[in-house]
Amino acid sequence: MRRAERVVLMPILARGAHVHPRDGGCFAEVAAALTTHCWTDHPACIPPVLAQLARGVNDRTSAEARTALAPLIPWAINGPRPTTDLTADAAVISLLTGQIPAEVLRAPVPEPLLRRLDRRPRPRHVLDRAGWRRAARRLVRAQLRAVTATLDGPDRDARLRALLVGAIDATRAAVGLGPLPEPGAPPEAGEQLVPVIADLASVDEVLELRVDPVLEDWPDWLRDPWSRRLSEMEARTAPDGEERPDGPAAVAAVAGVGHGGG
């Protein structure tokens, strides 16, 4: 049974990280709630470089336009991958450095940074991989700063959205998927409230905040993209029977991908 006192209304999308969903949920926090039900803005269900870009776009987009990013969230979600797998991260970096055509603003990238990113880490070399990821984070920050420094108002919002859509498409292409479907839009601008169940749970003797979206009470423009993405993941099986990175096992791995409820 669902206890009414645990149901809270979460404003989406909100700027920054949040202690509790009643304070708001950003792009990454909503993704985490949909998949693992953990409350974090660094979810394992989104590739790290894409997650950093999504957080930056979320925070730099105006309050009026930010909620329109929410229908993109399901398409950014992937199954968990080994830390050595940089496929999705490299796809986003290729986009940001201009190797994948996209109608996005690209700032000049310092040559040393480009050289570092072109040099892929050696397999199982932890320090090499850490250095590559640091360079990737620098590139994401530089591109976001370029957008906010040169554009204002609706033009900035549109360019940030295009940057995020391009990055999501790049990660999808890296696993053999087509461009994301045209998402729906909220009926009105600004933050909107959606119900979630928030509760403290003991995980390995540590209390963690668990957030379970009450999806049956979410608006169609949010619920439908998630249902479509779940169906897409469930259908992803390689011709030889081997599951793809976002195949059925990934659906099971993003624990609690059920459709709401407590």
Side-chain angles (χ1 to χ4, degrees), residues 29-120:
E29 288 166 337
V30 174
L34 283 169
T35 54
T36 62
H37 303 313
C38 295
W39 187 244
T40 175
D41 66 344
H42 284 68
C45 62
I46 302 180
V49 175
L50 178 59
Q52 181 192 357
L53 180 65
R55 288 190 296 271
V57 169
N58 180 95
D59 292 353
R60 288 167 173 80
T61 299
S62 69
E64 295 76 21
R66 190 179 300 124
T67 296
L69 299 173
L72 302 176
I73 294 172
W75 308 108
I77 289 172
N78 284 275
R81 298 186 182 187
T83 56
T84 54
D85 186 351
L86 299 177
T87 304
D89 293 328
V92 177
I93 293 304
S94 293
L95 172 76
L96 296 180
T97 54
Q99 296 171 28
I100 298 176
E103 293 300 319
V104 296
L105 180 69
R106 292 189 287 269
V109 182
E111 283 300 320
L113 185 58
L114 278 179
R115 287 196 298 271
R116 180 66 188 87
L117 291 169
D118 283 342
R119 192 171 65 251
R120 294 289 292 274

Side-chain angles (χ1 to χ4, degrees), residues 6-7 43 48 53 55 62 70-71 75 144 161 198 206 209 223 225 234:
R6 290 194 287 130
V7 177
L53 180 65
R55 288 190 296 271
S62 69
W75 308 108
L144 289 170
R161 180 186 177 89
V206 176
L209 182 62
R223 185 176 61 244
E234 289 165 353

